[in-house]
Amino acid sequence: MNKPNQIKVVLVEPSHPGNIGAVARAAKTMCIENLVLVNPEEFPSGQARARATGAVDVLERAVVCHSLKEAIADCTFVVGASARERGLQCPEITPDNVGARVWQELEQGNVAIVFGRESSGLSNEELDQCHYLTTIPANWEFSSLNLASAVQVICYEIYSAYLKKSSTDKVVNNDLLSHTNADPLATIEQLENLFEHMQQVLQEIEFFDPKQPKLLMRRLRHLYSRARLTLVETNILRGILSATQKAMRQTNTLDK
Ligand code: SAH
């Protein structure tokens, strides 16, 4: 039998071990028990264990990664949490819609909710790896919640959507195109390979200049992120890219 799909709480570079413990506790109270830590400053830690109290098991099972890319590689739906508005950013989703949406997405793959550093939140590059950005509405003059409080609010929304779903079994509809399970969604890792390949080809055909990158690759990421590519579609695009490279090489050889 296949492993059931998971919801992961991902913390990017948390600096206070106490917060990691408090996050484990917050998530576990809402029945979310998969914690992924990207380059934590101090872990494992006695302070984290003390703050986790009844959720030490979540800490013990926490996975440590070296990059966000690695943390979300096996996911098909990723939401980043940020207190700040950004310039060019991924589409926004309200925390209550995150709750409803997560249960739809779990039918197709693993889901990650990504939280940023206590000091500086998530970088634009990290947010570009997310399908959506969610912001907890708060005092406009002081909107930055403590990390574990933010995790609590989002996990509460996910759990409360689960309770609603099981009582009515009605799931809020979403704005993106649905697709059949026969053609699974591409994982973040498969999409990253596509973006790498695409950048390489765009460079070869001199459409992309790495010395003057502007926003091209970020805009393309957002475009493909909105499309929710399946694995088959990703493979078609990569096939086109490979054929382009082959044609380029043949032309170059003929020119010589
Ligand atoms: N000073 C940082 C905020 C860090 S708070 C900044 O300016 O971005 C640590 C993390 O908690 C944030 O990266 C975010 O993931 C989460 N968080 C805090 N307040 C939030 C809010 N109002 N909405 C969504 N996430 C929030």
Side-chain angles (χ1 to χ4, degrees), residues 2-188:
N2 284 341
K3 195 169 75 123
N5 292 325
Q6 296 179 332
I7 306 172
K8 309 186 196 186
V9 167
V10 179
L11 305 184
V12 176
E13 300 188 349
S15 49
H16 300 296
N19 275 342
I20 300 177
V23 163
R25 181 176 181 177
K28 188 175 174 182
T29 57
M30 298 293 124
C31 299
I32 297 174
E33 305 201 353
N34 300 301
L35 182 58
V36 184
L37 307 170
V38 179
N39 294 329
E41 203 165 292
E42 190 188 325
F43 189 80
S45 125
Q47 231 177 313
R49 287 178 78 89
R51 290 287 298 278
T53 49
V56 171
D57 58 319
V58 173
L59 285 185
E60 281 171 351
R61 276 183 284 109
V63 174
V64 175
C65 291
H66 298 293
S67 66
L68 176 60
K69 196 167 148 182
E70 184 190 339
I72 60 176
D74 64 347
C75 294
T76 52
F77 187 65
V78 182
V79 177
S82 171
R84 278 182 297 151
E85 300 261 322
R86 311 291 176 130
L88 176 72
Q89 65 184 25
C90 53
E92 287 182 42
I93 185 168
T94 58
D96 59 329
N97 281 333
V98 170
R101 186 64 185 273
V102 157
W103 297 101
Q104 285 182 311
E105 296 290 340
L106 278 172
E107 285 168 25
Q108 294 150 52
N110 294 331
V111 169
I113 315 291
V114 182
F115 296 86
R117 301 156 186 82
E118 291 94 332
S119 53
S120 56
L122 292 168
S123 67
N124 283 336
E125 200 216 353
E126 286 154 354
L127 277 172
D128 285 346
Q129 294 174 54
C130 303
H131 292 98
Y132 281 102
L133 162 71
T134 193
T135 301
I136 300 161
N139 182 347
W140 64 276
E141 287 176 312
F142 186 53
S143 63
S144 175
L145 278 71
N146 163 269
L147 176 59
S149 306
V151 170
Q152 185 78 68
V153 172
I154 301 296
C155 290
Y156 164 77
E157 291 291 358
I158 295 172
Y159 187 57
S160 96
Y162 168 76
L163 295 178
K164 258 187 238 155
K165 174 176 137 59
S166 18
S167 64
T168 62
D169 217 30
K170 218 170 72 198
V171 180
V172 176
N173 221 337
N174 65 66
D175 51 336
L176 298 175
L177 293 177
S178 62
H179 68 282
T180 61
N181 276 341
D183 186 4
L185 288 175
T187 63
I188 297 293

Side-chain angles (χ1 to χ4, degrees), residues 194-256:
L194 169 69
F195 295 140
E196 220 169 276
H197 195 172
M198 189 173 288
Q199 180 169 332
Q200 195 185 327
V201 175
L202 293 177
Q203 225 165 300
E204 282 171 31
I205 62 172
E206 293 176 8
F207 188 82
F208 174 76
D209 179 358
K211 288 196 207 94
Q212 273 201 307
K214 298 204 184 118
L215 294 172
L216 178 68
M217 285 316 294
R218 291 190 61 199
R219 287 194 195 280
L220 286 175
R221 270 174 179 277
H222 291 186
L223 167 69
Y224 286 109
S225 168
R226 285 201 306 276
R228 303 304 304 286
L229 296 177
T230 64
L231 177 57
V232 171
E233 290 162 344
T234 309
N235 287 340
I236 292 172
L237 288 172
R238 292 210 53 187
I240 295 172
L241 293 170
S242 299
T244 309
Q245 284 174 308
K246 194 170 157 203
M248 286 273 295
R249 278 178 204 131
Q250 274 164 356
T251 316
N252 288 345
T253 328
L254 288 178
D255 285 350
K256 276 180 195 158

